[in-house]
Amino acid sequence: MSLLSGGFGMARWGFGWALLLLLLLLLALWRPGAACPELCTCTGARISCVDAKHSIMAFPMLQSEAEMENITDIYIANQSSFKSINEKDLDSYRNLRNLTVTNTRLAYISRQAFQSNPKLQYLNLKENILSNLSWRTFRHLNISYLLLAGNPLQCICENVWLKQWRGEEAEDLLCVEEGGKRTALSTLTLPNCVLPTVTLKPTKVTMQKGLNVTLMCNTSGTPTPTLNWTTCKLNSKNEHEHSGQMSELRLVNVSSLDNGCKITCRSENMVGEAEASVDLDILFPPVISKLMDAVSDHHWCIPFSMSGNPEPKLSWLLNGKPVEEGPFIRTMIHDYSEGEYHGCLHLDSPTHINNGKYTLLASNKYGEDRKAVFAHFMHEPWNESVTDPLYYDPTTDDTPIGQTEDKVAVELGRWRGLKHTATATASISVLGRGNCGGHIHRLHLDARHSEVWTQLKVWNQRSFLSHQ
């Protein structure tokens, strides 16, 4: 029996070693990205294609989009068949940060080539055959390094924007004139090749809602720039009118919902672009859009949302009487978004005294608004009868001998909404006498303040006496 067990154990160990060797062999043959092209190498988040004997014609494609999204670095060099970067070539490499295409036959880059690569920061295009490059290709990117040395860039207006570039090699970048002479691009001056300028009037817009306003944008530059407007989603009726190098934007019956909207006039030609902006400052009376039931978190909160420009002044009424704010009751604005202020009336440990109808008043120089909500925080701890079953237990199992005095739980609370703090000392004795089982409750309260507002919560913890 032991021999059989031992033989079976040895066979099992032998099978385990064989399986382990097979796995090691598979790992040795496996490369990250099972579909990594034969002519490239794929290591971690990097793809490298440098074999000069077997050239690729386009960017390699991996097995899945998930694999391509993990790639941050692509290095392509010495590829004689690589000639262009087209609109969709890099769509799946959304996390690409570093791209090198050097010593290839690259002659064309689409203006939309990097539209899916917003994280691209390093672009090395040295030693290719690029003759021109549009600034529009890079307008949405935050490129830190753009390397272009070794390309036969033409001394044409479309390349003049590179003079503005302050990259690593801006001072040494050369362009080729018609006769083949090479000139420093930084010193190139061409006729009819001027960066646009733009002016926008008025430069400040402050107005009451419901009025009209016309914005005028003028531009200059060569070649003649194109003008366009960029705005938020306007709620106001708007009209555009273009004439040569001037454009008008007319807003009719301006809506308060457009307060804070940024309006931009942009001018561009092949040399570059320019823009001017103005923010709408729309004045309007307060509007309370929300006033909700009180909710309990760390503190109690009566949430609200409201708008108004200038920012409204806020105050509260409780059952028609002003609420004096202080450390325990205060209004707090937590956020401003989409043209609205969002906040709370915070109440720290409110009691039954704080129950009631809360009215929020919002006002500025253009008007006011109000909304009300009922809030209930606590039941009253007593009423006129001392036999309230929630706070008084007329029965007891204790049968002490003689007359004694016991303690009861007493909590002194302050009404948080009052301006003054009241102090009080209280002593409560509960006496029992007679043989009829009746009880006499005697309360002694000594208050030392001109205005005493206190709350007593009394829990009778089997502390009264009974006499047989």
Side-chain angles (χ1 to χ4, degrees), residues 205 207-214 237 250-254:
V205 177
M207 58 186 297
Q208 292 188 43
K209 77 167 190 172
L211 300 180
N212 305 330
V213 64
T214 299
K237 180 181 177 181
R250 181 173 173 80
L251 304 180
V252 179
N253 189 22
V254 174

Side-chain angles (χ1 to χ4, degrees), residues 64-81:
S64 67
E65 286 200 7
E67 285 182 303
M68 289 187 283
E69 286 187 1
N70 287 332
I71 298 298
T72 61
D73 194 337
I74 297 178
Y75 187 91
I76 294 175
N78 312 315
Q79 305 296 296
S80 59
S81 298

